[in-house]
Amino acid sequence: MLALLRSLATQPCHHAGYLRQTLEEVLLAVQGRLDLSPLNDDPRFTHPGWQRPAAQRLLQLWQAWQQPLAQWLQGLQLADHERAQLRWLLDQLAAAAAPSNSLLNPAILAEARSSGGHSLCRGAHHLWQDLASGRPFAQPNLDTQYRLGTDLACTPGQIIARHAEFELICYTPQQPQVHERPLLLVPPPINRFYLLDLSPGNSLVEHAMEQGLQVYLISWRNPNPSHCNWGLGRYVSACQRALNETRLHSGTAQATLTGICSGGLIAALLCAWQQAAGYAQQLSALSLLVTPLDTRLDTDLMRLNGPATRQRLRRQAWQQGYLDERSSGAAFGWMRPEQLVWTPAVTRYGLGRELPCNPVVYWGHDHTRLPAQLVDDLLDLFDRDPLGQPGSLQLNSEAIDLTSITLPSWHLAARRDHIVPWHNAYPGTRMGGKKHFTLCHSGHIQGLLCPPGHPRAHYHSGPAVSDNAESWLATAEAQQGSWWPAWSNWLKDHSGPLVKAPANEDGGLGAAPGRYVQQH
């Protein structure tokens, strides 16, 4: 804002030009001559009441001040990070000022009339409940919607190990024969693991087992202040311990490893650490799903978090011992304000209705804390990008060099990913070994949830031999359907011969999904 105020003195003609353009747009809006076709597909304005003349004028006035903004913002003499912050602020203001968020929304007025005002009373009650509970946003009632182990995360299995950092789940084989080498899944420490085992028919774990893979999975603990010193080194060591126990339990010398998002970072760091420490023979293959190997993320979240903001975040995490779930949930919510903030608020507070809940929504609100040291280490990755500088990151007494990895690897990115842009997941020259890259055409979460039979699923796939992602895309092969079979078939090629499925018995630690996933 200070930079913007300074520009008033240095660029008065530029601001005057924007003001003139805005007044011209407002005049067109008052006359009803402004083009509203960009809003035709906006779900906020689908109610028939928006077609009335008064509502149309309201929408046009809202559009009038926004349309010249892009040209005005581009012409400002600001630093890139200041321009990004100002663009984000203006997007937030535009989303908040949308006429759909007010009592002039025809849907709110119609609901109030038909209910005799009771909808507004229910909405006020919902608002008071959410403020009292400290929720950052309007959200569905999560207390009785789903039960873990019954509705979600219900693939049969046993807890075969429990440590301070994690529980290790061994899933019960679903085929008479399984591939000899087991698969260890490393989910992200952010949120719960059961996105990978969401519900029957929409479970990556279930799919892998149907293909004859032996599946083991790490369920991370939700840390408390006493775990403030858990950083990347601790998580990599925990992953190594889980790998050792997976190999011991399955009676094999090798396993395959799959990491997802920040869990993929942990998996990649483990492989580089093993290469440096002489343990590379423990793995036969690595797959990384929506994992930022290039941590220079060009996203709104990263652009907003300048040096001062990151330092405040570090201080906050160390003062509490962790980054609380409210802060992490709010950060991701404000990246999609129309979808994740204001539309739920209109439904819950304006219409007085309970928000619909589905397994993905339930999982998305089941946030976890992050230890202070892990927050510090992840911010260091974003600040320095040491993964692109072999040897600049020391982890558990070893220099990390991703280019030294000789394992074959399979990589997934999502074209519309707003958290890990797909270019950042492309391995390029950052990793050694034979690499295969797949680009699905969805978002960060929906890209992962893509079971066979998905009606709109398609992806590009091919060897990652090009130095950059765009060159790879120009030669990649387009495929229809889910990427899940391509991933599991690749894993099967590196999982050894078929053997008789083991009879995994209860080891006394309980059934999946275990105890840690239930902790709050």
Side-chain angles (χ1 to χ4, degrees), residues 309-369:
T309 304
R310 295 185 191 186
Q311 196 57 36
R312 285 195 297 270
L313 189 61
R314 285 184 170 98
R315 284 200 301 269
Q316 175 188 343
W318 280 111
Q319 287 169 359
Q320 296 179 317
Y322 55 78
L323 181 67
D324 62 86
E325 53 269 54
R326 177 186 171 95
S327 297
S328 60
F332 290 110
W334 287 113
M335 292 175 70
R336 295 279 182 88
E338 298 92 342
Q339 177 185 352
L340 300 178
V341 178
W342 297 111
T343 296
V346 168
T347 301
R348 185 162 170 79
Y349 310 140
L351 301 176
R353 300 172 185 168
E354 290 289 352
L355 290 172
C357 191
N358 58 50
V360 178
V361 170
Y362 184 92
W363 172 85
H365 285 93
D366 195 2
H367 300 293
T368 59
R369 298 177 287 272

Side-chain angles (χ1 to χ4, degrees), residues 42 45 102 325 453:
D42 195 320
F45 308 114
S102 72
E325 53 269 54

